[in-house]
Amino acid sequence: MADAARLARARRDALRFARDARRLAARHRRALGDARGAVDAAAAEVTAAARGGEPDALSAALRRLDALWEEHLAARVKPWWREYAESIALAVVLALLVRAFVLDAFRIPSGSMVPTLVVGDYIFVSKVAYAVRLPFTHLRLVETGAPRRGDVIVFENPRDPSSDYVKRVVGVAGDVIEIREQVLYVNGVPQPRAAAGEYAYAERSPSTGEPLAERCRRYREALAKGPILPPRGDLPGDAESSWQAAAADGVASYDVLQCRRARLASREGPFEVVRPGHVFVMGDNRDLSADSRGMGGWQVPVGHIRGRAALVFWSWGDGGLWPRGAGGLRLDRLFKPID
């Protein structure tokens, strides 16, 4: 039994040795020249002897392969530390390339996008959703798409290039945005929304760091993605027809918050028509968001968009699981798609 076990182990080791010899010879085929054929033949002989089960034949074949290994391959074997170093370096380079061209991570620092995104969420941002860009510039090498209403985007604030913001696109080129009694209007067409109860969350004070409780009204908003034409007349059905025609190209449905009481006949805008190559953005936390409505209205150049927010991959903060205190991992938000 012991002899049989030793023979089986020797056969496995021999097969591994032959496989390693073939791989190393293939990797250095140009430098080896004709010697590669000799190595491959000796490796094949070892493989056949190991599978045949004849100890004497296997021993002879191993001696021939070992001699060729020492003569042609031993000096080409990299030390273990070099193998690890090269693997780590390759992984770092690939990660940098992915981050530069394909996918980036972004941490949510404020509550302006609550309830879609909360403070402490870490999100993946698709950098190729709209274009392949030259890293660290606004130069777009290849166009891959255009922002649509309802997209959640990360962008370089045109008024403060050192800051990245995350907001939702509510207006594209040619649109006129307006808020009437807290209802979003696009080109004079109200975007439907339905009450969805209340939403409570804690916004930390910027001065003390203490959580400040907020309780807001929650609405489910339906933003049409297609071209929205102004209503033909003043009848309620005219605006509904315009929305239905635009909704045929898709609808973005998401929750928004209203933390202040609506005032009768209150209005924001209408703002300047969205220029070509620009978008109009708003936060889902409508009363606590610094967005395109501020300072008389501003727009985001498409070249400033870093990408489209795709997924919450990590979330840590108030309300999470932790043995002590309120902060910790929010399991319910892990790998959550961003609507």
Side-chain angles (χ1 to χ4, degrees):
M1 292 293 291
D3 290 341
R6 282 196 295 270
L7 179 58
R9 184 166 57 251
R11 293 170 63 186
R12 288 195 300 269
D13 292 342
L15 290 171
R16 188 180 304 112
F17 182 36
R19 183 175 64 248
D20 292 343
R22 279 194 296 267
R23 288 178 177 175
L24 193 58
R27 189 182 305 169
H28 299 282
R29 57 185 176 275
R30 291 184 180 178
L32 290 175
D34 294 339
R36 183 194 174 187
V39 171
D40 286 343
E45 186 180 356
V46 168
T47 300
R51 290 174 177 168
E54 290 293 333
D56 292 339
L58 178 58
S59 178
L62 282 172
R63 284 196 297 271
R64 284 188 286 273
L65 181 58
D66 188 62
L68 289 170
W69 179 279
E70 290 297 327
E71 182 179 357
H72 300 289
L73 299 176
R76 305 180 189 280
V77 178
K78 298 175 183 177
W80 67 268
W81 57 266
R82 184 176 172 184
E83 292 279 358
Y84 278 108
E86 290 182 354
S87 298
I88 293 171
L90 178 61
V92 169
V93 170
L94 290 176
L96 291 175
L97 288 174
V98 168
R99 183 171 182 180
F101 290 100
V102 182
L103 201 66
D104 203 353
F106 183 80
R107 180 184 180 277
I108 303 302
S110 73
S112 68
M113 281 295 293
V114 174
T116 303
L117 299 170
V118 300
V119 176
D121 279 353
Y122 289 79
I123 64 175
F124 279 136
V125 179
S126 172
K127 303 184 77 169
V128 295
Y130 308 122
V132 177
R133 300 194 336 173
L134 187 66
F136 312 112
T137 73
H138 295 156
L139 180 61
R140 299 160 70 89
L141 303 176
V142 179
E143 300 289 334
T144 59
R148 302 187 71 189
R149 295 189 209 94
D151 289 356
V152 177
I153 62 172
V154 174
F155 61 93
E156 176 189 303
N157 187 341
R159 294 179 176 268
D160 181 10
S162 64
S163 300
D164 287 341
Y165 279 21
V166 56
K167 305 291 179 187
R168 188 180 299 276
V169 175
V170 297
V172 295
D175 288 345
V176 175
I177 303 300
E178 184 180 4
I179 304 292
R180 303 180 192 173
E181 297 181 4
Q182 299 182 338
V183 175
L184 172 64
Y185 280 69
V186 181
N187 300 329
V189 178
Q191 303 304 295
R193 65 179 193 170
E198 291 189 334
Y199 184 88
Y201 75 101
E203 180 80 15
R204 291 193 175 272
S205 169
S207 57
T208 66
E210 294 297 321
L212 303 175
E214 293 280 357
R215 184 170 291 276
C216 309
R217 294 181 305 283
R218 184 173 188 164
Y219 296 90
R220 189 71 175 174
E221 189 167 86
L223 178 58
K225 293 186 176 184
I228 300 178
L229 299 178
R232 294 183 177 180
D234 296 330
L235 296 176
D238 296 330
E240 173 67 18
S241 297
S242 293
W243 184 87
Q244 290 289 351
D249 284 346
V251 176
S253 297
Y254 49 87
D255 289 346
V256 298
L257 297 186
Q258 299 287 177
C259 300
R260 299 172 186 166
R261 183 170 298 176
R263 300 187 305 275
L264 185 65
S266 63
R267 301 179 72 158
E268 296 180 76
F271 298 96
E272 177 188 5
V273 60
V274 180
R275 300 185 297 277
H278 291 71
V279 294
F280 193 101
V281 297
M282 291 174 58
D284 290 349
N285 194 350
R286 292 285 164 82
D287 296 325
L288 296 174
S289 173
D291 50 38
S292 288
R293 295 169 292 171
M295 304 179 69
W298 52 271
Q299 301 171 15
V300 180
V302 171
H304 285 231
I305 298 176
R306 299 198 182 279
R308 184 177 64 214
L311 180 78
V312 177
F313 69 89
W314 183 260
S315 186
W316 187 278
D318 295 334
L321 296 176
W322 194 250
R324 298 177 183 175
L329 179 63
R330 303 183 182 113
L331 292 175
D332 60 319
R333 299 194 63 78
L334 297 186
F335 307 108
K336 182 176 182 180
I338 298 173
D339 296 326

